[in-house]
Amino acid sequence: MKKLFILLLVVLAAGTWVGQLMVQDPGYVLIAFNETTVETSLWVMLVIGVLGFLLAHWLLNILTNAMMPVHRLRSWRDRRNHNVSQRKTLKGLMALSEGNWVRAQRQLGQAAERSELPLINYLAAARAAHEQGDEKAADELLQKARTSTPQAEVAVGIAQAQIQLARGQLEPCLANLLKLRKLAPKNTYVMRLLKDVYANLQDWDAIAKLLPELKKSQAVRDDALVELERQTYMNLLNHSLEQLPVETDNASRHSVLDKAWQKLPRNLSGEPDLVRRYIELLISISAEPKAEQVLREMISKQWSEQLVNLYGRIMGQDLKKQMSHAQGWLKHHPDSADLLLTLGRLSLRNQVWGQALGYFEQSFSIQPSQETLAELSRLLRHLGEADRAQDLMQQNLSVVANDLPELPQPEAEKA
């Protein structure tokens, strides 16, 4: 109130002062244009100027307001489209996550038509169409996604590759991924998809070439990468002989197999499963002496119970030397049940029956296993000790079949 009062006083003072000026000196203004002249006082001209400004301002507002409805209508329509698109997108994504593919495709497709950024809607709708098995609709939606956002070629291509892979369209998928590799050579997801396609195509050579990039980019988890690497070179070993003509001689097969083995990375050269498979392949082409040599060298470098067990199953070129090598390992591994089992088998090959029996019994006492029990029982029967073999099997029935349920049994009859 105080400020308003002061303002009124200032206005009254200014009005009084202006009024006095108008009385004392009204001023004179002359405007001449061609033969027309206008004469008036200065104060009247000032009043006319102020009124003219107010009139112009009023007319401008009328014209502006006359144009506003069109602008407002356009803004309302844009807001409505945005809200509708947002609502349908939300419903479509919820339906997609719930597995309601029909509703998801309908809602997302309708939202894409109103959306300023339709890419996500088209890609999600394409997935919904794919889940329904509607290949034509899925392809059309992917094409719409590509047309709506040309700069998203990699994203659309990845979605297309996923659908192609799921359909089993391996060749088109491979062509698509190779194209994407050129556009985005460091894209890790493209690498993973490419790995999956090669695996489905059984193209292990291609995976072997891709492995260094998968390692460098860390596109695959370390544990999965180790397994992939092992699987790749295992298949390369197997296929090295499978792709050869039937009439190929063993010498040529041996050469091809050796080349495949030499391609193994250093970290896999001592992997028991790979070594075992390599040995089995050598045996299959009548290269058992070579197999014994390779296996002996592997065991000497890196001890493996699995490989030691395998060593007793092959026959080297010199059986006495083979036996001697195995006995040398016993000094450092006296409690190895697999080594004692192997020594028992090598003793049989050298026809030292009593020694074989002793090794088998030692092995079985350290680790009762079905394999050792079978060897021991077989040897006893051939030594003429069938009753002892029968007693041994009866006493160790749980080793032969260790998954029998607990059931009541009748009492043994007294003699």
Side-chain angles (χ1 to χ4, degrees):
M1 291 294 293
K2 186 176 180 181
K3 290 182 179 180
L4 179 61
F5 179 72
I6 294 172
L7 180 62
L8 289 174
L9 287 178
V10 171
V11 170
L12 288 173
T16 302
W17 178 68
V18 171
Q20 290 178 350
L21 289 177
M22 292 175 66
V23 172
Q24 292 174 3
D25 186 3
Y28 178 73
V29 176
L30 174 64
I31 300 175
F33 182 73
N34 289 333
E35 297 180 356
T36 302
T37 61
V38 176
E39 298 181 24
T40 184
S41 68
L42 173 63
W43 300 107
V44 172
M45 179 57 68
L46 288 174
V47 171
I48 292 172
V50 171
L51 291 175
F53 172 78
L54 293 175
L55 179 62
H57 183 70
W58 179 69
L59 291 173
L60 184 62
N61 280 339
I62 290 176
L63 291 173
T64 303
N65 289 331
M67 297 178 63
M68 280 297 290
V70 177
H71 174 69
R72 288 176 179 174
L73 179 62
R74 186 181 299 112
S75 298
W76 173 82
R77 185 185 62 190
D78 291 342
R79 286 196 302 272
R80 182 176 181 278
N81 285 338
H82 175 74
N83 292 335
V84 171
S85 174
Q86 193 174 43
R87 186 170 64 254
K88 287 183 177 293
T89 297
L90 179 60
K91 289 181 179 179
L93 292 176
M94 289 174 62
L96 189 70
S97 64
E98 294 168 0
N100 191 339
W101 313 122
V102 175
R103 185 183 180 191
Q105 182 183 348
R106 184 179 66 254
Q107 295 284 353
L108 291 166
Q110 292 173 354
E113 296 172 359
R114 297 173 178 266
S115 176
E116 296 178 358
L117 300 172
L119 176 66
I120 295 176
N121 299 82
Y122 281 131
L123 292 179
R127 181 192 164 193
H130 163 68
E131 293 292 346
Q132 297 175 70
D134 192 344
E135 296 185 7
K136 182 179 179 181
D139 291 339
E140 288 176 354
L141 288 164
L142 286 173
Q143 185 56 44
K144 287 182 179 180
R146 185 176 280 108
T147 303
S148 70
T149 317
Q151 65 270 28
E153 177 61 32
V154 175
V156 177
I158 288 175
Q160 186 176 33
Q162 289 175 315
I163 290 176
Q164 289 171 330
L165 183 59
R167 290 176 184 170
Q169 298 173 338
L170 301 180
E171 296 295 342
C173 184
L174 177 59
N176 182 18
L177 289 171
L178 291 176
K179 177 183 176 182
L180 292 177
R181 281 276 286 165
K182 293 180 180 179
L183 294 175
K186 294 184 180 180
N187 189 297
T188 56
Y189 193 61
V190 172
M191 291 183 193
R192 288 201 294 272
L193 287 173
L194 195 58
K195 176 261 297 181
D196 292 339
V197 173
Y198 282 140
N200 279 277
L201 288 170
Q202 299 287 300
D203 192 347
W204 303 107
D205 284 311
I207 294 183
K209 293 177 182 177
L210 187 64
L211 279 170
E213 293 184 66
L214 292 173
K215 287 181 181 180
K216 184 178 179 181
S217 63
Q218 297 181 336
V220 181
R221 296 193 322 270
D222 289 343
D223 56 340
L225 187 63
V226 170
E227 177 57 27
L228 174 64
E229 192 174 35
R230 191 199 66 79
Q231 182 186 13
T232 297
Y233 286 101
M234 177 69 79
N235 281 283
L236 285 174
L237 278 177
N238 290 331
H239 293 172
S240 63
L241 295 182
E242 290 176 0
Q243 60 190 1
L244 294 176
V246 179
E247 63 273 11
T248 306
D249 59 78
N250 284 337
S252 299
R253 290 177 181 274
H254 191 183
S255 176
V256 171
L257 182 59
D258 272 351
K259 287 180 181 179
W261 178 254
Q262 294 302 323
K263 290 180 180 179
L264 261 70
R266 182 174 298 179
N267 63 303
L268 291 180
S269 60
E271 211 277 335
D273 287 340
L274 285 169
V275 175
R276 184 183 186 91
R277 185 54 184 154
Y278 177 50
I279 297 301
E280 290 172 350
L281 291 171
L282 284 172
I283 294 171
S284 71
I285 58 175
S286 303
E288 205 162 342
K290 173 67 175 179
E292 185 273 330
Q293 178 187 347
V294 171
L295 195 54
R296 172 168 30 92
E297 292 174 356
M298 289 291 176
I299 295 171
S300 298
K301 291 178 181 178
Q302 183 177 352
W303 182 259
S304 167
E305 297 285 337
Q306 183 181 354
L307 297 183
V308 167
N309 185 296
L310 181 59
Y311 191 71
R313 293 175 174 270
I314 60 177
M315 184 170 65
Q317 191 169 6
D318 190 326
L319 292 175
K320 290 184 178 180
K321 285 186 177 180
Q322 187 177 355
M323 181 74 183
S324 177
H325 286 301
Q327 287 175 330
W329 298 331
L330 191 60
K331 297 176 183 178
H332 302 285
H333 304 278
D335 297 325
S336 171
D338 282 302
L339 177 55
L340 290 166
L341 174 61
T342 288
L343 285 169
R345 286 169 169 165
L346 292 176
S347 297
L348 290 178
R349 290 190 185 279
N350 284 279
Q351 300 185 12
V352 187
W353 318 124
Q355 183 175 269
L357 182 61
Y359 281 134
F360 286 147
E361 288 176 336
Q362 282 183 267
S363 176
F364 192 74
S365 65
I366 294 172
Q367 182 181 334
S369 70
Q370 186 174 349
E371 184 180 13
T372 306
L373 179 61
E375 287 286 13
L376 186 54
S377 177
R378 180 172 65 173
L379 178 57
L380 286 171
R381 286 197 302 271
H382 280 84
L383 288 174
E385 299 185 41
D387 291 341
R388 183 181 171 189
Q390 183 65 31
D391 291 342
L392 184 68
M393 293 295 290
Q394 186 66 34
Q395 293 169 8
N396 294 280
L397 188 60
S398 61
V399 176
V400 178
N402 54 14
D403 59 345
L404 294 178
E406 291 290 339
L407 297 172
Q409 300 292 329
E411 293 184 7
E413 295 183 3
K414 296 181 179 180

